[in-house]
Amino acid sequence: MKVAAIGLGSMGMGAALNLLKAGHEVTGVDPRAEAREAFAAAGGRAVARAGEIPEGTEAALVLVVNAQQTEAALFGPDGAAPRLAPGAVVIGSATVAPEAARALAAEAEAAGLLWLDAPVSGGAKGAAEGTMVVMASGSEAAFARAEPVLAAIARKTWRLGDAPGIGSTMKMVNQLLAGVHIAAAAEAMALGIRAGADPRMLYEVITTAAGNSWMFGDRVPHILEGDDTPRSAIDIFVKDLGIVLDAARGMTFPLPLTAAAHQLFLGVSAAGYGGRDDAFVIRFWQMLAGIGLPPKRG
């Protein structure tokens, strides 16, 4: 297929490279020259603006930050929509509020396009390995058109119904858990460090015990290595937990744990670390209590 991969960030790049490996004709879209150069070096075509994708592109995988970027990339003054083939499928994989997914789907339908509400999970590692989990909802036609793309980027695609917004609702719940678990992992490590436990031994013990979580196992090594290079950034969870809290507020539904985690990410972002790896929400306790963190290895 002729596919546009819009957004060559930590997850978009991995997905785009796997589409190339699967034999698709892929155009990567990203305003950053270094991302375009990396994708072109791997054998893809790269452009700076979505309006520059090839005429007649059959599928667009959109892995940008939020709903506003998704709307601009598709339907803005230099958006991709006019370059897409009639009946092309748009796979909306940014984390957005369910109502935003529904609005984007309506805009796509008005433009003669199919829409799949298809947020993803798996992080940069899952994207690079082609093992992401897709939480998707949309019409049978949209699923059929998107299947070759999904087969190249995911190990599991959940079919959650035909209405846009269902996929984004599922991702919203996932992000609640992910954000709270990262914050809890950081709090636990901070307590252990203050109490005098060896951080690496603490990690080894907890990952064999009942207190372990997927996020503890995945994120704590970043702390141990002193590596705050963003795989997923602090500001992603400022945004995503904000989406969760806004949705809950609209339902008059209390989320005390999510609110506490959101404040931790927000505080670290306000201190100037919003672009750093999300495991470094532990800097909240470093700033508050002066704990020492392991130095960067090497």
Side-chain angles (χ1 to χ4, degrees):
M1 295 179 72
K2 291 172 69 174
V3 182
I6 302 176
L8 297 175
S10 59
M11 296 182 75
M13 180 65 83
L17 292 173
N18 278 301
L19 286 166
L20 272 182
K21 291 175 189 174
H24 297 290
E25 182 183 330
V26 187
T27 300
V29 182
D30 201 286
R32 298 168 301 138
E34 62 272 22
R36 297 196 304 274
E37 289 164 6
F39 188 61
R45 181 173 185 263
V47 298
R49 295 179 294 276
E52 297 174 338
I53 65 172
E55 189 81 36
T57 294
E58 300 163 276
L61 173 65
V62 187
L63 260 170
V64 294
V65 172
N66 54 31
Q68 291 75 20
Q69 287 188 7
T70 301
E71 204 280 336
L74 293 168
F75 308 115
D78 198 23
R83 310 287 292 177
L84 296 173
V89 64
V90 179
I91 303 166
S93 294
T95 300
V96 305
E99 61 268 23
R102 289 188 282 268
L104 287 162
E107 201 164 358
E109 184 179 354
L113 304 170
L114 299 169
W115 181 271
L116 201 65
D117 177 24
V120 295
S121 182
K125 184 174 184 289
E129 295 175 352
T131 59
M132 293 191 294
V133 173
V134 182
M135 311 166 204
S137 60
S139 67
E140 285 295 325
F143 272 108
R145 190 76 163 166
E147 195 280 331
V149 174
L150 300 175
I153 67 171
R155 65 175 170 83
K156 174 69 178 178
T157 296
W158 289 96
R159 291 187 172 223
L160 301 171
D162 59 6
I166 302 173
S168 288
T169 297
M170 198 67 67
K171 180 62 183 293
M172 183 173 66
V173 175
N174 182 80
Q175 293 308 90
L176 181 161
L177 289 165
V180 169
H181 287 175
I182 293 169
E187 182 169 283
M189 287 300 295
L191 174 64
I193 290 168
R194 167 49 66 89
D198 176 85
R200 289 178 176 83
M201 186 56 67
L202 183 59
Y203 173 76
E204 294 295 332
V205 171
I206 295 302
T207 52
T208 68
N212 191 32
S213 68
W214 191 94
M215 283 299 187
F216 188 97
D218 187 76
R219 295 308 206 264
V220 170
H222 303 175
I223 298 170
L224 299 178
E225 294 158 9
D227 183 6
D228 66 359
T229 304
R231 291 78 160 178
S232 174
I234 292 284
D235 278 345
I236 293 295
F237 278 97
V238 173
K239 172 187 72 83
D240 288 0
L241 294 183
I243 288 172
V244 176
L245 290 167
D246 287 344
R249 191 176 299 112
M251 293 182 275
T252 317
F253 194 86
L255 295 176
L257 297 180
T258 307
H262 186 247
Q263 287 297 303
L264 298 175
F265 287 106
L266 193 61
V268 176
S269 179
Y273 298 107
R276 310 319 297 167
D277 188 85
D278 55 27
F280 281 79
V281 71
I282 197 171
R283 282 201 173 103
F284 178 87
W285 291 274
Q286 184 184 38
M287 292 184 291
L288 189 69
I291 62 167
L293 299 180
K296 188 174 182 67
R297 284 186 172 179

